[in-house]
């Protein structure tokens, strides 16, 4: 288990990476969910193993193939997909992977996982406060394999992002996701 000092150092490093990325991308408006009231968080290892591959995969959207991390969507350098910005194909344990983890976690509702923007925006038939997902419908239903994997990641909260309870996810085959 990580000591309090190590956890604080890790959080400080992550905060600096996120601040740097926001500075570099010129992002002036960032939508971030508040931390849960009891300091729960999400598993980093599960994000890296199961969620990051979904964000980089070419999924079959209702309007055709779509990749979340593509330059026309949520790519941090050239994406037009709102405040959710991620790096394409980040190396394992890299600063880019950590930044993607924080970006995804910011769009996760830890108090009500079903209401997470990370799930609602690409879900068929859902319109949020900000409107519909410009990238179109990606998940035809809440039973979609990639939707379920992301939902499970958000639902399985831990006290520290490197908890021994992490590393238990099973990555879906992206070919089984979408339409």
């Amino acid at each position: 288990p990580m000591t309090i000092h190590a956890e604080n150092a890790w959080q400080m490093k992550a905060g600096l990476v996120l601040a740097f990325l926001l500075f570099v991308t010129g992002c002036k408006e960032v939508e971030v969910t508040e931390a849960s009231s009891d300091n729960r968080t999400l598993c980093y290892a599960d994000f890296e193993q199961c969620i990051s591959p979904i964000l980089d995969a070419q999924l079959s959207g209702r309007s055709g193939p779509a990749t979340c991390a593509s330059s026309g969507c949520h790519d941090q350098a050239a994406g037009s997909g709102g405040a959710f910005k991620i790096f394409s194909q980040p190396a394992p344990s890299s600063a880019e992977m950590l930044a993607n983890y924080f970006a995804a976690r910011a769009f996760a509702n830890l108090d009500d996982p079903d209401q997470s923007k990370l799930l609602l925006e690409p879900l068929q038939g859902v319109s949020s406060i900000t409107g519909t997902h410009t990238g179109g419908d990606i998940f035809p239903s809440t039973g979609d394999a990639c939707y379920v994997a992301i939902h499970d990641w958000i639902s399985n909260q831990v006290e520290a992002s490197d908890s021994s309870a992490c590393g238990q996810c099973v990555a879906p085959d992206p070919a089984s996701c979408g339409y």
Side-chain angles (χ1 to χ4, degrees):
M2 203 182 261
T3 65
I4 291 175
H5 177 71
E7 177 76 11
N8 288 342
W10 185 85
Q11 289 175 343
M12 181 179 222
K13 178 182 175 184
L16 290 172
V17 167
L18 186 58
F20 171 76
L21 292 174
L22 292 175
F23 174 75
V24 169
T25 61
C27 185
K28 292 182 171 78
E29 180 182 331
V30 177
E31 201 170 312
V32 178
T33 58
E34 294 181 26
S36 67
S37 57
D38 60 359
N39 295 322
R40 293 169 288 142
T41 192
L42 302 175
C43 289
Y44 176 78
D46 290 352
F47 173 81
E48 187 171 291
Q49 179 180 340
C50 296
I51 307 308
S52 183
I54 294 170
L55 300 176
D56 277 318
Q58 185 171 2
L59 304 175
S60 297
R62 178 185 272 191
S63 303
T67 304
C68 301
S70 70
S71 61
C73 294
H74 297 286
D75 176 72
Q76 64 81 28
S80 59
F84 182 61
K85 301 290 188 208
I86 53 176
F87 288 92
S88 180
Q89 302 294 323
S93 301
S94 66
E96 292 83 4
M97 181 69 75
L98 186 61
N100 286 1
Y101 164 78
F102 281 113
R105 191 179 78 177
F107 282 81
N109 184 330
L110 301 185
D111 294 322
D112 188 356
D114 292 337
Q115 295 303 309
S116 297
K117 285 184 63 79
L118 195 60
L119 292 168
L120 293 176
E121 289 292 321
L123 181 60
Q124 175 185 320
V126 174
S127 180
S128 71
I129 295 170
T130 59
T132 59
H133 183 234
T134 307
D137 295 336
I138 307 299
F139 305 135
S141 73
T142 58
D144 180 87
C146 287
Y147 178 99
V148 170
I150 296 169
H151 186 275
D152 287 351
W153 175 63
I154 296 169
S155 297
N156 296 322
Q157 299 165 24
V158 293
E159 290 183 19
S161 61
D162 66 342
S163 168
S164 61
C166 297
Q168 307 300 315
C169 71
V170 177
D173 175 7
S176 69
C177 299
Y179 288 84

